[in-house]
Amino acid sequence: ALANDAVFGGSGASISPIKEKRLRMASESIVIREKPGSKAWGGARHWDIEATYRFENPTKESITTQFGFPESTCDEDSDCNSMDDSKYTFHNMKTTVEGKKVKVTQGTVDQDNPWGRELGRVHLFDVTIPAQKTVEVVHHYQMGKSGSVMADDWVMYITRTGALWNGPIGSAKFTIAVLERPWGFSYPADYNLTTFETSKDGKLTTIAFEMKDWTPKQ
């Protein structure tokens, strides 16, 4: 679920993430839920993702800037979470700022850019944060599932762009809810596992990680 907001600059056809020295990511809460098959998804299970961020402006002046929410592009040689023959992975995406839906445009990262191999299409929108205030940004969308002959499932969420904000992320929580108890799971060493819980009927397992004053490095 390639994501994590960042400030972007450049033209729509050649944009790149920019280190933001004024605004701070006060918190992020990412909830990734596995959903049962539906008609819209051809009976296949899929991921439902809600990403909630709070951004803080500690300066004494209002700041308006362009945010971007990146997404991977599928190519012929990759195994990615797309639906049918779509070259993109996000579906039914909605973005709100302080509870209000905002206008979103699309841009792409030039492949010659250092971020070009990691980031594909980027959902761009403008955000204004008043002086010494915070605003809430929420993205809600769905993704298809990818697996392997070993019967595993995977979902990927880029966090490294979170290191481009002013200072560490105040708090970061990632919650993954799957419809069956996994045989096992793996995660980066710098993630703090806080929850691994299976419901009594075994039909839902919740895995959660939470970090404080965190700077993602990978």
Side-chain angles (χ1 to χ4, degrees), residues 85-191:
D85 60 352
S86 172
K87 64 180 294 189
Y88 298 110
T89 57
F90 292 1
H91 301 279
N92 304 319
M93 183 173 172
K94 298 179 179 63
T95 297
T96 62
V97 176
E98 290 293 280
K100 296 180 180 179
K101 190 174 180 180
V102 295
K103 180 182 178 180
V104 178
T105 60
Q106 273 75 45
T108 56
V109 179
D110 193 305
Q111 291 303 298
D112 293 333
N113 187 278
W115 288 87
R117 292 190 176 186
E118 292 189 59
L119 308 179
R121 182 170 68 168
V122 181
H123 302 263
L124 303 166
F125 56 102
D126 293 330
V127 176
T128 298
I129 306 180
Q132 299 182 331
K133 299 289 185 180
T134 63
V135 300
E136 182 179 83
V137 175
V138 179
H139 306 285
H140 189 193
Y141 58 100
Q142 289 84 43
M143 288 179 61
K145 295 188 65 179
S146 288
S148 77
V149 294
M150 299 299 291
D152 61 358
D153 291 309
W154 58 265
V155 60
M156 182 166 60
Y157 197 96
I158 285 183
T159 61
R160 193 161 68 91
T161 47
L164 296 173
W165 297 99
N166 176 17
I169 299 169
S171 66
K173 185 172 184 179
F174 301 89
T175 304
I176 304 172
V178 292
L179 296 178
E180 295 165 351
R181 188 180 189 278
W183 288 98
F185 60 96
S186 61
Y187 55 93
D190 61 335
Y191 279 58

Side-chain angles (χ1 to χ4, degrees), residues 74-82 145-148 154:
C74 300
D75 59 49
E76 294 179 356
D77 299 320
S78 68
D79 174 25
C80 58
N81 313 61
S82 61
K145 295 188 65 179
S146 288
S148 77
W154 58 265

Side-chain angles (χ1 to χ4, degrees), residues 23-27 162-163 165-171 212-216:
L23 301 176
R24 175 175 176 263
M25 186 187 289
S27 67
W165 297 99
N166 176 17
I169 299 169
S171 66
K212 301 287 186 182
D213 297 321
W214 182 57
T215 302

Side-chain angles (χ1 to χ4, degrees), residues 30-36 45-49 145 155 174-182 195-198 203-209:
I30 315 302
V31 180
I32 303 172
R33 299 181 179 91
E34 183 184 16
K35 292 293 187 177
R45 294 183 179 186
H46 59 280
W47 299 114
D48 182 271
I49 298 107
K145 295 188 65 179
V155 60
F174 301 89
T175 304
I176 304 172
V178 292
L179 296 178
E180 295 165 351
R181 188 180 189 278
T195 302
F196 176 67
E197 191 173 75
T198 303
K203 293 183 178 180
L204 184 71
T205 295
T206 302
I207 304 165
F209 309 89

